[in-house]
Amino acid sequence: MSAADQTNAGRQATAALGAKEAATPAKVPAIELKGISKAFGTVQANKDIAIRVMPGAIHGIIGENGAGKSTLMSILYGFYKADKGEIWIKGKRTQIPDSQAAISAGIGMVFQHFKLVQNFTVLENIILGAEEGALLRPSLAKARKELKRLADEYELNVDPDEKIEELSVGHQQRVEILKALYRQADILILDEPTGVLTPDEADHLFRILDFLRKEGKTIILITHKLREIMEITDTVSVMRRGEMTATVKTSETSPEQLAELMVGRKVLLNVTKTKANPGDTVLEIEDLRVRDEDKVERLKGINLTIRAGEILGIAGVAGNGQSELLEVLGGFANGTGTIRVNGQDLDLTGKHSDGQSRRARGIAHVPEDRHHLGLILDFMAWENMIFGYHSDPAYQKNPLLMDNAGIIAHTASAMERFDVRPPIPTLPAKSFSGGNQQKIVLAREIERDPVLLLVGQPTRGVDIGAIEFIHKRIVELRDQGAAILLVSVELDEIFALSDRIAVMFDGQIMGERLPEDTNEKELGLMMAGVAT
Amino acid sequence: MEKTPKWIDVGLIPLLNLLIAFVISGIVVLLIGENPVQAIKVMIDGALGSPYGWGYTLFYATNFIFTGLAVAVAYHASQFNIGGEGQATLGGLGVALVCLAFPWPHWSIALLAAMIGGALFGAAWAAIPAYLQAKRGSHIVITTIMFNFIGASLLNYMLVNVLRPRGSMDPATARFPKSTYLPTFHDMPLIGQFFGKSVPANISFFIAVLACFLVWGLIWRTRLGYAIRAFGRSESAARYAGISPVKIVMAAMLISGALAGLMAINNVMGTGHRLVLNSVEGAGFIGIAVALMGRNHPFGVFLAALLFGFLYQGGGELALETTIPRELITVIQALVILFTGAFDNMLRAPIESFFVARANAKKEA
């Protein structure tokens, strides 16, 4: 049986797509999954998944949030146990009950959120969990030598004695890769690796991945960015709703086709918009400063203006003060400096600096994190549709009671207008997909006809089909004369929507550009703080 | 994705959990050397078999409804108020002071005033921990439990040094004037004929039922309830919406403390007719179990309070009629809490997937 399986696997491997060296017959796939299924309660996260990746290939897995990519990788790394299915590594059936087993099978994982000890040095992090013996010195010396070799070979230079907290995000990621390589990994899984990187850092990462591929390492790249898939992978698998809908050669596909496979229908990747016709200045920010709880200055003197009928896009790597800017504008962080809306000052501290006061001034806010800010996931759609505006007299039946029936009716019609599916007001928010959740937030905020709309990461974790709709609505609101502040870490989105682009780095505005006068490379340098 | 029917979620699963708790209790009874069937018969006879038993069961249930609602309201704001005991103690003080303040012309006026007194004192006792939580971040669980002890000591001091009538050796207040005595079930038209003169259940029971409706309205029909639930589910989202955490914590805890304090109209004004030490008798803590089992819904709290009233009264009978010690009832209560609260998910997951599988099979067929 196992012999038959082997030959069978070999035959299939020959036919396997994409791997560059697949020409040699009977070559064994580095990793092969057969019929993997996993359910969480009633949710089928993975359904009969099959993948085959040849050594020396980069295989992309693309799919929308909740499509089951992360579950699949967690199974591969021993965090979850599959309900059904087999894992074959280098032609051998392998059980992966925990991450130790995964490591000894040669699998290395680079998580989206790094797992590094912040106040340890690079070297200490590398050997953590792979110490040989009770004394550290021999292991450290060995790691230092190995690290030098890896750095030379793969352009993975990091100072081994630097503490993690001193390193940039891009370098921290390299440490994660080094950790995996130090543990002799020859199958490397990267989960959304470019989410926190500047375009420049991302390019460097891809260069490293290319070196690794040439060395015969196998790489699985999980992402939702079509561009990255097209740029670096040899083959790509598309996941949708827990199933693997297609596996294709990257060279034989196109972003449009992949998008269609992901969503299940044709999608427009770029929204068409007319040129902006800006009016009077709506928002003026002068020397805005914000300190966090540890008294660290997060915004270091921001100056911005936005006019009516204009979208200002704020580009930048996550964590450079964009969130703080939205928080202080939205009324849930204190700051110093001056913010004027239509010529009148906003309170930046005290009683009248809260979200209610901001809404009263016509500032609507689609927050970056809809799960923790924009929505209450356990609340039903109709309860979420008035969230933040629940004190509005229009929603009260009498001074004591809320007009629940009226709100439900209002929600039903708003859901219709914003194409929220399913349009059931009494469904809890958590039952909707990411895109539909975002549409609920968007409906709530846009339908208040704000003078200023704050939008943070409007399409993060949103299915491609909904992106098109959301972008259209934002542009429509602009055309009705609202001023819009857009914060996004996706440069594509910044270019698609903005009439003007400001780049943020380290709590400061590095500079402003018009989208037609700049390009990703220039913005990338500004995002890294090296250009203004 | 299929969902399990609601009756399974709120009906079948709690009942099954209860059944398991009783079966294990039965095994414990067996181990002590008594007959479990006999024991359950004594409990049911004692608590539900006669108007006398019902009188006590409903009396206890009244206490538990108030303290259960108190825990539930705080819970909706994600505040774990385990100070119901202390708040009910202080509520007793408030009720006693009102009753003794002057010769009330009629019990109904006295009751209204006593409700205000009990609620105010209970709320005040919750206000300090609430303030410390809202403004200083001192954990409400720690402070409320400390306030239980402070409350007990305060009552002790008040009874021994201030309220004890001259010449009395008993750490208790004087008897309340007769005009403040609340009508018991015996005094009521229609049902009065069934109940003996000494029945403790009184009009407070109906006030407790009314409180269930009011709490339900508050939580699910008012703006404040909306804000409380929003804050309880997601503090960060509440801040985004401009809901003040300080206001919500204070409001929810004041209402919670007031509900716990209201319990005193039942045990102090309704039956004790004077304030004694430890008149709350642990009802504040039972309230936690009641809220847990009642899933913090007023209707669930009502049912759970009835169950615990039954356990309390039936357990008392058990101690009288058999050699089973009274403490066993604590074991049974603990088992009930364990299975309905802590082990809830043990049965839930398999039962839910069973029903989902069945529903899916039906759909495919």
Side-chain angles (χ1 to χ4, degrees), chain B residues 71-89:
Chain B
V71 174
V73 168
Y75 179 84
H76 280 290
S78 79
Q79 303 299 309
F80 194 19
N81 177 16
I82 55 175
E85 191 78 8
Q87 289 143 20
T89 301

mmCIF file of all heavy atoms in Angstrom, chain B residues 71-89:
data_model
loop_
_atom_site.group_PDB
_atom_site.id
_atom_site.type_symbol
_atom_site.label_atom_id
_atom_site.label_comp_id
_atom_site.label_asym_id
_atom_site.label_seq_id
_atom_site.Cartn_x
_atom_site.Cartn_y
_atom_site.Cartn_z
ATOM 1 N N VAL B 71 -25.923 40.866 40.499
ATOM 2 C CA VAL B 71 -24.736 40.347 39.830
ATOM 3 C C VAL B 71 -24.896 40.470 38.315
ATOM 4 O O VAL B 71 -23.965 40.848 37.599
ATOM 5 C CB VAL B 71 -24.483 38.883 40.235
ATOM 6 C CG1 VAL B 71 -23.326 38.292 39.433
ATOM 7 C CG2 VAL B 71 -24.199 38.785 41.729
ATOM 8 N N ALA B 72 -26.107 40.186 37.820
ATOM 9 C CA ALA B 72 -26.340 40.192 36.376
ATOM 10 C C ALA B 72 -26.149 41.590 35.784
ATOM 11 O O ALA B 72 -25.511 41.748 34.746
ATOM 12 C CB ALA B 72 -27.739 39.667 36.063
ATOM 13 N N VAL B 73 -26.693 42.602 36.445
ATOM 14 C CA VAL B 73 -26.585 43.965 35.906
ATOM 15 C C VAL B 73 -25.112 44.369 35.824
ATOM 16 O O VAL B 73 -24.639 44.877 34.808
ATOM 17 C CB VAL B 73 -27.371 44.965 36.776
ATOM 18 C CG1 VAL B 73 -27.011 46.391 36.392
ATOM 19 C CG2 VAL B 73 -28.861 44.747 36.612
ATOM 20 N N ALA B 74 -24.376 44.104 36.904
ATOM 21 C CA ALA B 74 -22.955 44.466 36.895
ATOM 22 C C ALA B 74 -22.230 43.687 35.815
ATOM 23 O O ALA B 74 -21.362 44.219 35.123
ATOM 24 C CB ALA B 74 -22.330 44.187 38.260
ATOM 25 N N TYR B 75 -22.630 42.431 35.650
ATOM 26 C CA TYR B 75 -21.956 41.591 34.662
ATOM 27 C C TYR B 75 -22.100 42.165 33.255
ATOM 28 O O TYR B 75 -21.173 42.080 32.443
ATOM 29 C CB TYR B 75 -22.520 40.175 34.704
ATOM 30 C CG TYR B 75 -21.877 39.283 33.686
ATOM 31 C CD1 TYR B 75 -20.666 38.646 33.965
ATOM 32 C CD2 TYR B 75 -22.442 39.092 32.426
ATOM 33 C CE1 TYR B 75 -20.047 37.851 33.026
ATOM 34 C CE2 TYR B 75 -21.835 38.297 31.480
ATOM 35 C CZ TYR B 75 -20.644 37.683 31.782
ATOM 36 O OH TYR B 75 -20.028 36.900 30.845
ATOM 37 N N HIS B 76 -23.262 42.729 32.952
ATOM 38 C CA HIS B 76 -23.452 43.277 31.602
ATOM 39 C C HIS B 76 -22.482 44.414 31.322
ATOM 40 O O HIS B 76 -22.192 44.702 30.172
ATOM 41 C CB HIS B 76 -24.894 43.737 31.409
ATOM 42 C CG HIS B 76 -25.818 42.601 31.096
ATOM 43 N ND1 HIS B 76 -25.788 41.930 29.904
ATOM 44 C CD2 HIS B 76 -26.755 41.980 31.831
ATOM 45 C CE1 HIS B 76 -26.674 40.945 29.914
ATOM 46 N NE2 HIS B 76 -27.277 40.957 31.087
ATOM 47 N N ALA B 77 -21.986 45.057 32.380
ATOM 48 C CA ALA B 77 -20.953 46.078 32.188
ATOM 49 C C ALA B 77 -19.573 45.469 32.413
ATOM 50 O O ALA B 77 -18.614 46.190 32.664
ATOM 51 C CB ALA B 77 -21.180 47.242 33.140
ATOM 52 N N SER B 78 -19.497 44.156 32.362
ATOM 53 C CA SER B 78 -18.268 43.380 32.583
ATOM 54 C C SER B 78 -17.631 43.669 33.943
ATOM 55 O O SER B 78 -16.428 43.628 34.088
ATOM 56 C CB SER B 78 -17.249 43.559 31.454
ATOM 57 O OG SER B 78 -16.545 44.754 31.585
ATOM 58 N N GLN B 79 -18.470 44.005 34.915
ATOM 59 C CA GLN B 79 -17.985 44.177 36.278
ATOM 60 C C GLN B 79 -18.447 42.979 37.101
ATOM 61 O O GLN B 79 -19.638 42.663 37.117
ATOM 62 C CB GLN B 79 -18.537 45.467 36.904
ATOM 63 C CG GLN B 79 -18.199 46.712 36.112
ATOM 64 C CD GLN B 79 -16.699 46.928 36.000
ATOM 65 O OE1 GLN B 79 -15.980 46.918 36.992
ATOM 66 N NE2 GLN B 79 -16.216 47.087 34.767
ATOM 67 N N PHE B 80 -17.519 42.321 37.741
ATOM 68 C CA PHE B 80 -17.872 41.145 38.528
ATOM 69 C C PHE B 80 -18.102 41.595 39.972
ATOM 70 O O PHE B 80 -17.166 41.733 40.745
ATOM 71 C CB PHE B 80 -16.755 40.108 38.435
ATOM 72 C CG PHE B 80 -17.163 38.751 38.935
ATOM 73 C CD1 PHE B 80 -18.491 38.393 39.057
ATOM 74 C CD2 PHE B 80 -16.204 37.815 39.272
ATOM 75 C CE1 PHE B 80 -18.863 37.150 39.507
ATOM 76 C CE2 PHE B 80 -16.555 36.558 39.723
ATOM 77 C CZ PHE B 80 -17.895 36.228 39.845
ATOM 78 N N ASN B 81 -19.348 41.865 40.290
ATOM 79 C CA ASN B 81 -19.681 42.357 41.618
ATOM 80 C C ASN B 81 -19.890 41.180 42.557
ATOM 81 O O ASN B 81 -20.943 40.550 42.551
ATOM 82 C CB ASN B 81 -20.945 43.216 41.539
ATOM 83 C CG ASN B 81 -21.386 43.699 42.907
ATOM 84 O OD1 ASN B 81 -20.609 43.657 43.872
ATOM 85 N ND2 ASN B 81 -22.619 44.149 42.999
ATOM 86 N N ILE B 82 -18.882 40.868 43.346
ATOM 87 C CA ILE B 82 -19.102 39.805 44.321
ATOM 88 C C ILE B 82 -19.300 40.399 45.705
ATOM 89 O O ILE B 82 -19.141 39.736 46.716
ATOM 90 C CB ILE B 82 -17.962 38.761 44.325
ATOM 91 C CG1 ILE B 82 -16.629 39.430 44.547
ATOM 92 C CG2 ILE B 82 -17.945 37.981 43.051
ATOM 93 C CD1 ILE B 82 -15.530 38.403 44.667
ATOM 94 N N GLY B 83 -19.705 41.671 45.713
ATOM 95 C CA GLY B 83 -19.969 42.343 46.980
ATOM 96 C C GLY B 83 -21.442 42.388 47.335
ATOM 97 O O GLY B 83 -21.856 43.174 48.185
ATOM 98 N N GLY B 84 -22.240 41.537 46.681
ATOM 99 C CA GLY B 84 -23.677 41.528 46.969
ATOM 100 C C GLY B 84 -23.957 41.312 48.445
ATOM 101 O O GLY B 84 -24.883 41.906 49.007
ATOM 102 N N GLU B 85 -23.150 40.485 49.067
ATOM 103 C CA GLU B 85 -23.321 40.194 50.492
ATOM 104 C C GLU B 85 -23.235 41.477 51.330
ATOM 105 O O GLU B 85 -24.117 41.776 52.137
ATOM 106 C CB GLU B 85 -22.232 39.197 50.914
ATOM 107 C CG GLU B 85 -22.428 38.594 52.278
ATOM 108 C CD GLU B 85 -23.462 37.483 52.295
ATOM 109 O OE1 GLU B 85 -23.927 37.079 51.204
ATOM 110 O OE2 GLU B 85 -23.826 37.050 53.394
ATOM 111 N N GLY B 86 -22.177 42.237 51.089
ATOM 112 C CA GLY B 86 -21.985 43.477 51.843
ATOM 113 C C GLY B 86 -23.038 44.513 51.500
ATOM 114 O O GLY B 86 -23.536 45.230 52.374
ATOM 115 N N GLN B 87 -23.379 44.583 50.212
ATOM 116 C CA GLN B 87 -24.383 45.570 49.799
ATOM 117 C C GLN B 87 -25.745 45.235 50.388
ATOM 118 O O GLN B 87 -26.487 46.123 50.802
ATOM 119 C CB GLN B 87 -24.436 45.636 48.271
ATOM 120 C CG GLN B 87 -23.181 46.291 47.682
ATOM 121 C CD GLN B 87 -22.729 45.648 46.386
ATOM 122 O OE1 GLN B 87 -23.483 44.971 45.703
ATOM 123 N NE2 GLN B 87 -21.460 45.838 46.050
ATOM 124 N N ALA B 88 -26.074 43.944 50.478
ATOM 125 C CA ALA B 88 -27.337 43.540 51.093
ATOM 126 C C ALA B 88 -27.303 43.812 52.602
ATOM 127 O O ALA B 88 -28.312 44.176 53.201
ATOM 128 C CB ALA B 88 -27.621 42.066 50.818
ATOM 129 N N THR B 89 -26.133 43.626 53.215
ATOM 130 C CA THR B 89 -25.975 43.921 54.644
ATOM 131 C C THR B 89 -26.271 45.389 54.917
ATOM 132 O O THR B 89 -27.037 45.737 55.815
ATOM 133 C CB THR B 89 -24.536 43.598 55.087
ATOM 134 O OG1 THR B 89 -24.274 42.230 54.832
ATOM 135 C CG2 THR B 89 -24.335 43.892 56.561
#
